């Protein structure tokens, strides 16, 4: 989220310091890239020169012939909705469970599209959509046990859903009312992490603790293909391997890190990285919910057995923009997206359910209604979300307190109170 | 009273030992802290007595050390991590500043971050590049972190245990050139609060405020000034975040003059913060502007000239004279 602005763009409360607010507004629009400047134009030219010099730039990537040969993916469900076998991985799910996975994906997508709409309506400052990544998230999320612990990025709305986190909790930071705002321990779902890759180390440390406790739960860390370039991710691989930590690294390779393609992050298929650190890596069809479930479950079980980490690369695609501030038309072709649309994770499970007679029209209609109810609930909850109290910025800075925070809190309270006194005087 | 004369290094070692003994959740982690006992031997013998599970030799990766400590803290452990030298904390700076400092606030208080990051810091030992720096202001500037530095063995013994018991992340700066200085440590005393400043020497004409390695220099300066008939009070701040401004104020209200001394560069250093606050608080008591003595705005120099860079007795006394001349 380079062009990130998490402050909701709702009308600001009338402020005592009008000039200060105007300044803030200007800063925000500059951040969003609205204001054009000579420096920007120069940067653009430089970028154009660069891309001319390098034929393999992002723009041409759609037709790029020299892409790495794609290694085999674990797949259990083809894009056409046919069930296929894999020698090492399988799932045996009841009709009810299959319908459950479908329901999870549909509701998650609906929640996500509602959030995007809320951003467009100015109710959220920013939104990072998971569109296209539902199978990777629901498949891996449903492989988890309650006592497993999840370390997400900022896009794991589907995993949050599987953990039973109320989806409205996820919106606080995007609306600008908090920087996280939920208790990570109530659903074993850690706060979203913005600094790319940081959470993979937290997951590893947490997993080291799990091992020390002699517990048999596992930890899963989500991150993207871009994150795989970060030192923290390499360090997490090292630590987890050296200490045999029960952690699964779940990389959603959605092909893009904002405008940078995966080829800009790595010269080898990502899942192969694991081998150099001394643990297995596996690439799974990230648009196949059954395969994601099977592979993640197997990796989690391996961790629980004390056999250490696994890297799962879910090969998938981010169908929308990186965030609502992003414009993917500047760096990728629409035909790429169309090619991936044919592999839509939801559509393929629907085809399978229909072909097998696992779900009828009534099921789909009921689900549509349920989606509408969810969307309405989310919409209402966001609009009703109270702004934090001014004084709350001084809360929880320290667990044990801090003299300076106490002093500044008192000063600020007195300053605020002086306005109340002034408004009383007029009456 | 069970007072015993020991070096700061030994006191820190005893402090870690006591912490490991009393709380099974305490872990010691870092590069070479196990078999070797740390490059300064602060963790000497701990792995032998508490095992590799409690005293953990880590891969050579500072971000990894702090990042995994955060995860362990989330799991309920109290990691004490050692950064080998001041100049090597920067690969971990991201984890410390963007994650460790903010986790408690981001979780609205629902998680605690009882992580101690121990950093041997400062110069005066004739080391090579990146082994002599004083980056405390970079940490004190960050909300969510607490930053402390003992100046003697007794404080080393007590402050480290208090830091480990704190539910907040504490950056614990150890003045490496004082590691071998010995002092009485009363292991059954009731220690001062972790963030309280201490009057190290009383005086009436001027206040010297310092912490960590510079406290000793200031005490020597005060003794020298005494011979010239000047009565100098020395405050050992002990904590750089928060700072016990009340204690400094009390002293300055009495003496009317303040000189702040630290090894770190003066520019944007903690002396600037102290000068500004004390000027606000004590404007009518001050007989002279608050003066600062410290390092220059230059990379820490090669060992052969570090004595010129580091504030020594003469530079401190010079500042004392300048202040008294107002
Ligand atoms: C350390 C860091 N650098 C840059 C950014 C800005 N940024 C936010 S998301 C992103 C791309 C991340 O790509 P990837 O890891 O592939 O995850 P994806 O968003 O595609 O799921 C960037 C560069 C950041 N948040 N953190």
């Amino acid at each position: 989220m380079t062009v990130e602005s998490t402050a909701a763009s709702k009308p600001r409360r009338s402020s005592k310091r009008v000039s200060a607010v105007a300044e803030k507004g200007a800063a925000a629009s500059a951040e969003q890239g609205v204001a054009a400047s000579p420096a920007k134009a120069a940067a653009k030219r430089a970028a154009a020169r660069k891309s001319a010099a390098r034929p393999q730039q992002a723009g041409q990537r759609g037709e790029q012939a020299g892409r790495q040969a794609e290694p085999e993916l674990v797949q259990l469900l083809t894009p056409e909705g046919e069930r296929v076998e894999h020698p090492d991985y399988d799932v045996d799910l009841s009709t009810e469970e299959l319908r459950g996975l479908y329901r999870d994906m549909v509701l998650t997508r609906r929640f996500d599209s509602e959030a995007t709409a809320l951003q467009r309506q100015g109710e959220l400052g920013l939104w990072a959509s998971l569109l296209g990544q539902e199978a990777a998230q629901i498949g891996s999320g449903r492989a988890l046990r309650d006592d497993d612990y999840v370390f997400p990025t900022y896009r794991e709305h589907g995993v949050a859903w599987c953990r039973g986190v109320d989806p409205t909790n996820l919106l606080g930071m995007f609306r600008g009312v908090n920087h996280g705002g939920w208790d990570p321990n109530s659903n074993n779902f850690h706060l979203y992490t913005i600094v790319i890759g940081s959470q993979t180390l937290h997951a590893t440390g947490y997993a080291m603790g799990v091992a020390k406790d002699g517990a048999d739960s596992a930890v899963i860390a989500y991150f993207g293909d871009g994150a795989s370039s970060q030192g923290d991710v390499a360090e997490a691989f090292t630590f987890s391997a050296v200490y045999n930590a029960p952690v699964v690294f779940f990389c959603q390779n959605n092909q893009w890190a904002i405008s940078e393609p995966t080829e800009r992050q790595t010269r080898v298929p990502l899942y192969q990285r694991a081998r150099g650190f001394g643990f297995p890596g596996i690439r799974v069809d990230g648009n196949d919910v059954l395969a994601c479930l099977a592979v993640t479950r197997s990796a989690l079980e391996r961790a629980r057995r004390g056999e250490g980490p696994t890297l799962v690369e879910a090969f998938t695609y981010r169908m929308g923009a990186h965030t609502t501030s992003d414009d993917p038309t500047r760096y990728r072709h629409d035909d790429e997206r169309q090619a991936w649309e044919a592999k839509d994770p939801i559509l393929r499970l629907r085809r399978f359910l229909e072909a097998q007679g696992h779900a009828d029209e009534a099921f789909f209609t009921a689900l549509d209604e349920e989606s509408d109810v969810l969307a309405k609930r989310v919409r209402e909850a966001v609009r009703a979300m109270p702004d934090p109290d001014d004084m709350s910025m001084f809360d929880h800075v320290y667990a044990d307190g801090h003299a300076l925070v106490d002093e500044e809190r008192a000063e600020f309270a007195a300053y605020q109170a002086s306005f109340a006194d002034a408004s009383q005087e007029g009456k | 009273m069970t007072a015993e004369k020991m070096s700061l290094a030994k006191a820190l070692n005893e402090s870690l030992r006591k912490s490991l003994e009393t709380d099974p959740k305490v872990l010691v982690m870092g590069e070479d802290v196990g078999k070797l006992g740390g490059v300064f031997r602060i963790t000497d013998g701990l792995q032998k007595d508490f095992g590799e599970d409690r005293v953990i030799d880590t891969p050579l990766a500072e971000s990894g050390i702090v990042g995994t400590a955060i995860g362990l803290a989330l799991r309920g452990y109290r990691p004490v991590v050692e950064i080998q030298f001041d100049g090597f904390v920067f690969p971990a700076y991201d984890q410390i500043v963007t994650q460790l400092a903010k986790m408690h606030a981001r979780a609205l208080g629902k998680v605690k971050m009882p992580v101690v990051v121990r950093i041997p810091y400062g110069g005066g030992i004739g080391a090579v590049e990146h082994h002599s720096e004083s980056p405390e202001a970079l940490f004190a500037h960050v909300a969510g972190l607490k930053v402390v530095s003992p100046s003697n063995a007794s404080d080393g013994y007590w402050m480290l245990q208090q830091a480990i018991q704190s539910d907040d992340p504490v950056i614990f700066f150890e003045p490496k050139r004082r590691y071998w200085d010995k002092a009485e440590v009363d292991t059954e005393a009731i220690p001062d609060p972790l963030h309280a400043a201490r009057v190290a020497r009383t005086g009436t004409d001027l206040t010297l405020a310092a912490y960590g390695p510079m406290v000793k220099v200031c005490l020597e300066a005060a003794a020298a000034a005494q011979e010239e008939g000047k009565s100098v009070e020395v405050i050992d701040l002990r904590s750089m975040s928060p700072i016990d401004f009340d204690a400094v104020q009390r002293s300055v209200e009495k003496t009317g003059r303040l000189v702040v001394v630290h090894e770190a560069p003066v520019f944007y250093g903690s002396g600037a913060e102290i000068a500004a606050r004390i000027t606000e608080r004590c404007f009518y008591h001050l007989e002279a502007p608050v003066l600062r003595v410290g390092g220059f705005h230059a990379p820490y120099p090669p060992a052969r000239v570090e004595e010129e860079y580091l504030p020594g007795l003469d530079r401190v006394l010079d500042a004392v004279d300048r202040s008294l001349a107002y």
Side-chain angles (χ1 to χ4, degrees):
Chain A
M1 283 174 257
T2 37
V3 255
E4 53 213 322
S5 150
T6 41
S9 52
K10 70 191 156 58
R12 290 199 174 262
R13 280 163 302 161
S14 67
S15 169
K16 298 141 199 157
R17 294 281 177 114
V18 179
S19 59
V21 168
E23 255 169 54
K24 265 192 200 161
S29 63
E31 224 171 81
Q32 307 248 14
V34 176
S37 68
K40 265 210 173 134
K44 247 190 199 170
R45 281 193 300 278
R49 275 198 301 280
K50 266 196 191 152
S51 67
R54 288 189 208 144
Q56 295 269 309
Q57 273 294 317
Q60 285 90 353
R61 189 167 166 280
E63 315 76 359
Q64 202 168 292
R67 284 186 68 180
Q68 61 205 15
E70 273 165 25
E72 256 178 49
L73 307 158
V74 176
Q75 192 178 69
L76 298 177
L77 195 61
T78 68
E80 293 72 38
E82 276 163 38
R83 193 69 167 77
V84 289
E85 298 286 314
H86 190 280
D88 302 325
Y89 298 96
D90 199 12
V91 280
D92 182 17
L93 299 177
S94 68
T95 300
E96 230 14 73
E97 286 167 323
L98 286 165
R99 282 163 37 143
L101 292 175
Y102 184 80
R103 174 177 172 271
D104 289 337
M105 289 200 288
V106 167
L107 291 178
T108 301
R109 181 171 288 188
R110 181 54 182 267
F111 162 68
D112 184 74
S113 64
E114 187 61 28
T116 302
L118 284 165
Q119 193 280 332
R120 296 293 182 234
Q121 293 159 15
E123 299 287 349
L124 300 178
L126 182 82
W127 183 244
S129 163
L130 68 14
L131 186 64
Q133 299 179 217
E134 294 86 354
Q137 295 195 13
I138 300 299
S140 59
R142 285 298 177 207
L144 298 165
R145 261 181 11 197
D146 281 352
D147 59 337
D148 294 337
Y149 212 99
V150 178
F151 286 84
T153 69
Y154 41 80
R155 204 192 289 285
E156 266 66 75
H157 322 312
V159 185
W161 170 266
C162 295
R163 298 308 284 173
V165 176
D166 189 314
T168 60
N169 278 348
L170 306 176
L171 300 171
M173 74 182 276
F174 293 101
R175 186 170 169 86
V177 303
N178 58 45
H179 288 310
W182 62 85
D183 177 358
N185 292 323
S186 57
N187 299 75
N188 282 10
F189 187 79
H190 190 65
L191 304 167
Y192 276 0
T193 299
I194 298 282
V195 180
I196 299 295
S198 296
Q199 76 282 3
T200 57
L201 279 169
H202 308 161
T204 301
Y206 193 95
M208 287 161 62
V210 169
K212 280 184 192 305
D213 295 344
D216 78 337
S217 54
V219 179
I220 190 165
Y222 289 86
F223 60 105
D225 46 309
S228 72
S229 298
Q230 285 283 351
D232 275 7
V233 173
E235 294 188 22
F237 287 178
T238 297
F239 274 72
S240 64
V242 164
Y243 297 116
N244 209 39
V247 57
V248 174
F249 296 105
F250 194 91
C251 176
Q252 288 171 85
N253 177 356
N254 64 9
Q255 312 302 324
W256 293 93
I258 311 189
S259 70
E260 309 265 15
T262 310
E263 292 86 54
R264 260 296 140 93
Q265 317 293 341
T266 181
R267 295 296 297 269
V268 298
L270 284 175
Y271 76 97
Q272 289 180 4
R273 288 252 181 105
R275 188 199 254 195
F277 290 88
F279 55 90
I282 174 94
R283 182 179 271 184
V284 59
D285 183 338
N287 286 20
D288 172 351
V289 71
L290 301 185
C292 288
L293 177 64
V295 166
T296 312
R297 194 178 266 171
S298 152
L300 290 165
E301 276 161 13
R302 198 182 111 81
R304 288 195 185 100
R305 286 195 304 271
E307 292 169 29
T310 303
L311 169 62
V312 176
E313 179 191 358
F315 203 74
T316 181
Y317 191 69
R318 185 194 88 209
M319 296 219 273
H322 169 70
T323 67
T324 45
S325 302
D326 174 42
D327 173 10
T329 65
R330 296 173 74 106
Y331 55 84
R332 71 184 191 190
H333 281 316
D334 211 38
D335 51 3
E336 182 184 281
R337 184 192 146 119
Q338 279 157 17
W340 277 93
E341 258 169 21
K343 306 185 211 174
D344 188 296
I346 296 186
L347 193 59
R348 80 169 72 176
L349 186 57
R350 178 170 182 138
R351 285 178 178 143
F352 175 69
L353 292 177
E354 286 175 338
Q356 298 296 306
H358 285 321
D360 55 12
E361 212 38 54
F363 169 75
F364 296 112
T365 314
L367 189 50
D368 282 346
E369 279 161 19
E370 195 182 355
S371 300
D372 289 343
V373 172
L374 173 67
K376 184 160 179 282
R377 177 164 82 81
V378 167
R379 197 159 55 239
E380 286 170 358
V382 165
R383 292 195 174 132
M385 228 175 243
D387 284 346
D389 183 79
D390 286 339
M391 297 305 293
S392 70
M393 65 179 128
F394 299 104
D395 294 346
H396 310 302
V397 183
Y398 293 90
D400 297 340
H402 188 284
L404 180 63
V405 176
D406 294 344
E407 187 183 318
E408 291 186 355
R409 181 197 283 113
E411 279 170 13
F412 187 63
Y415 173 74
Q416 295 287 68
S418 72
F419 288 102
D421 294 346
S423 71
Q424 285 305 310
E425 276 167 25
K427 286 191 183 147
Chain B
M1 163 156 157
T2 44
E4 196 187 323
K5 216 163 172 140
M6 61 175 97
S7 67
L8 171 61
K10 175 72 177 157
L12 293 166
N13 179 273
E14 289 294 326
S15 185
L16 288 170
R17 176 174 293 279
K18 187 86 184 292
S19 302
L20 284 159
E21 264 165 16
T22 42
D23 184 349
K25 291 294 184 187
V26 171
L27 305 172
V28 171
M29 307 168 58
E31 294 155 14
D32 307 302
V33 299
K35 284 217 170 57
L36 181 66
V39 291
F40 288 107
R41 307 292 184 270
I42 307 302
T43 56
D44 194 24
L46 298 179
Q47 190 181 63
K48 190 168 112 304
D49 295 340
F50 296 94
E52 294 183 14
D53 235 31
R54 306 274 315 276
V55 180
I56 307 166
D57 272 322
T58 64
L60 211 169
E62 285 76 11
S63 191
I65 294 169
V66 173
T68 53
I70 291 169
L72 282 157
L74 288 168
R75 182 72 191 182
Y77 286 86
R78 303 184 91 86
V80 185
V81 313
E82 175 171 305
I83 300 293
Q84 209 155 59
F85 281 94
D86 36 64
F88 309 136
V89 70
F90 295 103
Y93 194 62
D94 164 44
Q95 283 285 348
I96 294 172
V97 169
T98 69
Q99 309 298 318
L100 183 62
K102 295 180 175 168
M103 203 68 91
H104 177 69
R106 292 190 58 219
L108 302 180
K110 302 293 188 194
V111 301
K112 305 246 159 66
M113 276 291 120
V115 176
V116 176
V117 181
R118 294 181 35 240
I119 309 177
Y121 82 123
I125 61 161
V128 294
E129 195 192 10
H130 303 304
H131 290 71
S132 304
E133 291 155 24
S134 300
E136 63 272 13
L138 297 175
F139 295 90
H141 193 62
V142 178
L145 300 177
K146 291 182 169 174
V147 182
V148 303
S149 177
S151 68
N152 60 66
S154 176
D155 274 353
Y157 180 79
W158 287 113
M159 288 171 70
L160 184 52
Q161 288 178 69
Q162 291 167 320
I164 293 168
Q165 283 154 17
S166 165
D167 282 333
D168 289 310
V170 180
I171 313 299
F172 194 88
F173 279 105
E174 298 172 3
K176 64 171 88 78
R177 68 164 144 152
R178 305 291 174 228
Y179 272 150
W180 304 282
D181 289 2
K182 289 192 172 176
E184 290 275 308
V185 178
D186 179 354
T187 54
E188 271 161 29
I190 295 168
D192 288 338
L194 180 57
H195 302 289
R198 178 177 65 94
V199 180
R201 179 192 172 106
T202 52
T204 51
D205 297 341
L206 178 144
T207 303
L208 283 174
Y211 50 85
M214 279 297 132
V215 173
K216 187 176 178 184
V217 173
C218 288
L219 285 170
E220 287 166 0
Q226 186 73 56
E227 287 174 16
E228 298 168 8
K230 300 162 196 160
S231 170
V232 172
E233 179 147 307
V234 178
I235 306 271
D236 180 354
L237 290 170
R238 299 167 81 248
S239 173
M240 278 80 75
S241 178
I243 290 174
D244 186 352
F245 287 112
D246 293 344
V248 186
Q249 179 174 353
R250 273 196 299 276
S251 178
V252 171
E253 283 177 0
K254 181 172 67 170
T255 66
R257 290 182 165 82
L258 175 63
V259 176
V260 190
V261 185
H262 51 61
E263 287 190 16
V266 167
F267 190 60
Y268 279 98
S270 37
E273 179 59 40
I274 295 164
R277 295 253 169 199
I278 290 304
T279 305
E280 283 176 16
R281 285 184 177 216
C282 308
F283 190 69
Y284 293 109
H285 292 276
L286 284 168
E287 307 284 346
V290 180
L291 299 181
R292 294 168 288 158
V293 182
F296 304 111
H297 194 56
Y300 192 89
R304 292 299 181 96
V305 290
E306 70 177 335
E307 287 308 325
E308 307 308 315
Y309 175 93
L310 292 168
L313 203 57
D314 289 341
R315 269 170 63 199
V316 175
L317 286 172
D318 180 62
V320 168
D321 289 346
R322 273 189 291 135
S323 177
L324 286 168
Y326 274 91

